[in-house]
Amino acid sequence: MVIHAVIVAGGKGSRAASDTPKQFTRLGSKPVYQWSLDIFTSHPAVQSVVLVVPEEYVATYRPDHNDSDIEVVSGGIDRTASVKAGLAALHANADDFVMIHDAARPGLSAKIISGLAEALEDADASAPALPVADALKHYDGQTMRSMSRDNLYRVQTPQAFRYGLIKTLLHERSGALVDDLSALEANGGKTKLIEGDERLSKVTWPSDFDRMERLLTLSNLSPRVGTGFDVHAFGSGEFVTLCGLEIPHSKGLIGHSDADVAWHALTDAILGALAMGDIGDHFPPSDDQWKGAASSVFLKHACELAGDEGYRIANCDITIICEKPKIGPHRQAMCEATAALLDIPVSFIGVKATTTEQLGFTGRGEGIAAQAACMLVPK
């Protein structure tokens, strides 16, 4: 199949309350229109792309892009006129597929492009759509009546057609159309709808930018796994701190902070999953402000970093390695304390203990080791 794309970015975007048209406003790391442009140009079946912009933006766009598959043309007085200008600039055969897309819908994906092309094989047009889920009411300012949601859809873009058909249909129509499918509806053509995507929602109002940035950013995140390991030697004392709990023992653990070997390992697991170094990078033992500090401070910091990166803790597993003290009687309380700090269900926390069969430094009763694993998933 051969696919061409027309990205319509010719409007003023006045409702977005910005001096710059919304399609040129930065969304995350790039302008709104660039999100769709990057997806189209990276799809193996897309042969060419026409970007339709306001006349005053044609010259300023060109220096930033040298891709020969992209052509920039000036738009018209309304969206339909801009679509016609984009179609006229394409070098396409009548049976080639063309996808007409609003630049203000930056959440385009390769999956949507491929799905539209497949649906168009035995239809005159295809489009992504989502069923209407909210209650519908007709309101005239005083009275209200319910409307049926049966067979009602929120139709998105891109809308796909064969090039020859849509060019002819739009040529025969005058005035602005609601969308490009409207040109086909009057002729009774067959349209196939594929499953749409909330990320294809239109950026219209100022508040839409923050919502869309969150959707687009988080959609690019994959689950991450991290592991951590820590060791502390025994010294004088009457208890050891493990998972925030003071466990009675004939010895204490030596450390710059409270020497909570279990939460230190878990902190390193989270930092490792984020590729942000280890606990010593964030809380250097050479810094006296952390002397005797509770390890909850370190673990909370790691959780906040995960949140800042768009992740939450899905689950964690801690293994405490020692001969003494016995961990079993305190395991549930350790799980509960860890769950409370991470703000996740206690059933997602694993704490267990093992010995080294009296081998090594833990076997000789010289200290306690701990290892931890955690999974981070997009919020």
Side-chain angles (χ1 to χ4, degrees), residues 11-26 31 57 209:
K12 300 297 185 183
S14 57
R15 286 177 293 181
S18 172
D19 294 336
T20 303
K22 63 185 176 184
Q23 62 271 30
F24 297 98
T25 301
R26 295 194 72 80
Y57 282 83
F209 284 91

Side-chain angles (χ1 to χ4, degrees), residues 217-266:
T217 301
L218 296 183
S219 69
N220 293 326
L221 297 180
S222 299
R224 292 188 172 196
V225 174
T227 63
F229 182 81
D230 196 39
V231 175
H232 283 281
F234 282 129
S236 60
E238 298 178 346
F239 63 87
V240 295
T241 302
L242 296 172
C243 293
L245 303 180
E246 294 184 353
I247 309 300
H249 190 48
S250 58
K251 300 176 182 179
L253 289 173
I254 301 172
H256 186 67
S257 63
D258 63 2
D260 189 336
V261 65
W263 276 3
H264 287 187
L266 180 55

Side-chain angles (χ1 to χ4, degrees), residues 8 22-23 32 101-106 200-204 212:
V8 184
K22 63 185 176 184
Q23 62 271 30
V32 169
H101 184 55
D102 292 331
R105 298 180 185 270
L200 276 174
S201 297
K202 196 171 184 179
V203 175
T204 302
M212 188 57 64

Side-chain angles (χ1 to χ4, degrees), residues 134-350:
D134 297 327
L136 289 179
K137 304 285 184 178
H138 181 272
Y139 182 58
D140 60 9
Q142 292 184 336
T143 60
M144 183 180 292
R145 61 186 176 90
S146 297
M147 308 289 291
S148 173
R149 293 174 294 181
D150 294 346
N151 300 318
L152 288 183
Y153 292 87
R154 298 159 47 199
V155 179
Q156 303 171 317
T157 71
Q159 295 176 0
F161 310 84
R162 285 172 180 78
Y163 175 70
L165 175 62
I166 188 60
K167 190 174 182 182
T168 299
L169 289 174
L170 290 179
H171 178 72
E172 295 172 349
R173 297 292 300 269
S174 60
L177 301 176
V178 173
D179 64 1
D180 307 299
L181 288 177
S182 300
L184 181 68
E185 291 167 11
N187 290 268
K190 178 182 178 182
T191 300
K192 290 187 70 173
L193 298 180
I194 68 169
E195 183 179 0
D197 192 326
E198 284 294 343
R199 291 174 296 177
L200 276 174
S201 297
K202 196 171 184 179
V203 175
T204 302
W205 309 106
S207 59
D208 292 337
F209 284 91
D210 181 63
R211 176 179 60 85
M212 188 57 64
E213 183 170 352
R214 290 176 181 274
L215 283 173
L216 294 178
T217 301
L218 296 183
S219 69
N220 293 326
L221 297 180
S222 299
R224 292 188 172 196
V225 174
T227 63
F229 182 81
D230 196 39
V231 175
H232 283 281
F234 282 129
S236 60
E238 298 178 346
F239 63 87
V240 295
T241 302
L242 296 172
C243 293
L245 303 180
E246 294 184 353
I247 309 300
H249 190 48
S250 58
K251 300 176 182 179
L253 289 173
I254 301 172
H256 186 67
S257 63
D258 63 2
D260 189 336
V261 65
W263 276 3
H264 287 187
L266 180 55
T267 300
D268 270 351
I270 297 170
L271 293 174
L274 296 170
M276 289 188 176
D278 59 30
I279 195 171
D281 295 322
H282 297 261
F283 304 96
S286 58
D287 191 338
D288 285 341
Q289 70 172 309
W290 308 121
K291 187 173 179 62
S295 294
S296 59
V297 174
F298 310 152
L299 188 52
K300 287 178 181 178
H301 176 73
C303 291
E304 289 170 359
L305 290 177
D308 291 343
E309 294 297 309
Y311 287 98
R312 62 178 178 83
I313 314 298
N315 74 300
C316 66
D317 183 36
I318 303 170
T319 301
I320 301 171
I321 307 166
C322 63
E323 297 291 331
K324 292 181 180 180
K326 294 296 183 183
I327 302 302
H330 310 283
R331 180 183 297 142
Q332 183 61 28
M334 291 179 178
C335 289
E336 292 172 356
T338 304
L341 189 146
L342 300 182
D343 194 24
I344 63 176
V346 69
S347 59
F348 294 175
I349 306 292

